[in-house]
Amino acid sequence: MKKPTSTAPGEASGLAIPTLMPVGRRLFMRYAGFTALSATAVMEACTMSDHNVPGGMVVDLGSGDFGVLNYAYALEQLEAAFYTMVIDMPYANMTPEERRILTEVRDHEIAHREFFKAALGSNAIRMLEVNFSAINFSSRDSVLQTARVFEDLGVSAYNGAGRLLTNPAFLTIAGKIVSVEARHAAVIRDLLQPKTTYFAGDDVVDPATGLDVVRSPMQVLPLAQPFIKNTISGNNLPTM
């Protein structure tokens, strides 16, 4: 497919940011201000840094802003693969409303994944192999609890990664995507416990600050690793 031809913020640093287009708001009408993102162009991504070592394939996320964006790309790959399986193998007695919600969440995660793939181009890591053997896709509770874990983890990961970016354009995009992920987290929690304040519990809000939980890549990657067959290395990512 064609590479975006328009100049976008970030090209000066070697990364052309595809244009972001708004998608439907049906899923989160109850949550004001929601705008989802999708990429308008997708290009083939090449392996940036992976190699065979004893114990399996290691995928190095890289360094600098490219590394941080690959970090987000890896998490979006994980979420997109998960929700794709949820829809392909719906749990017992999934209601039409739940199917609609989870389908839209799947579509948003795929859009995020493809955006990062297009933006990174030849700097993108390979497509990861997922390991969902611990998830019972026929169980509503197993699926929704796993979805909650993934969404909460993703929000905390974006919160922690933003400070590592040096390009303001990338930070703006990360801020837009994390707002979508936060609304995913809220609607999943609402499915688990309707009409409660579960979506803003102490497990996702730092009681000391009243703000969302923030995790560094070194805290997030060990939590995501059990769901990924490849070994993900963030050793070259920037730190504070």
Side-chain angles (χ1 to χ4, degrees), residues 11-100:
E11 284 191 348
S13 63
L15 188 153
I17 304 176
T19 303
L20 297 180
M21 298 292 290
V23 297
R25 298 178 60 186
R26 298 189 306 275
L27 175 57
F28 299 116
M29 289 301 290
R30 77 189 79 173
Y31 302 109
F34 173 74
T35 302
L37 306 176
S38 65
T40 60
V42 179
M43 67 185 78
E44 289 299 320
C46 301
T47 300
M48 183 179 70
S49 179
D50 55 28
H51 48 279
N52 285 309
V53 298
M57 181 71 77
V58 174
V59 177
D60 185 355
L61 298 175
S63 60
D65 281 2
F66 285 133
V68 177
L69 295 185
N70 267 317
Y71 169 55
Y73 178 41
L75 295 176
E76 296 295 353
Q77 284 191 46
L78 177 62
E79 289 185 299
F82 168 72
Y83 285 109
T84 295
M85 290 190 68
V86 168
I87 298 304
D88 288 348
M89 300 187 302
Y91 52 76
N93 301 316
M94 180 183 289
T95 68
E97 176 70 0
E98 289 172 346
R99 178 183 287 274
R100 181 182 66 80

Side-chain angles (χ1 to χ4, degrees), residues 91-137:
Y91 52 76
N93 301 316
M94 180 183 289
T95 68
E97 176 70 0
E98 289 172 346
R99 178 183 287 274
R100 181 182 66 80
I101 289 172
L102 294 170
T103 297
E104 290 198 25
V105 173
R106 177 203 63 186
D107 293 346
H108 297 161
E109 302 297 4
I110 290 174
H112 295 168
R113 181 195 68 196
E114 293 304 305
F115 169 77
F116 283 114
K117 181 180 178 181
L120 283 158
S122 62
N123 292 285
I125 58 171
R126 71 195 301 268
M127 289 298 294
L128 302 175
E129 297 179 67
V130 296
N131 175 19
F132 294 148
S133 59
I135 304 169
N136 180 0
F137 284 92

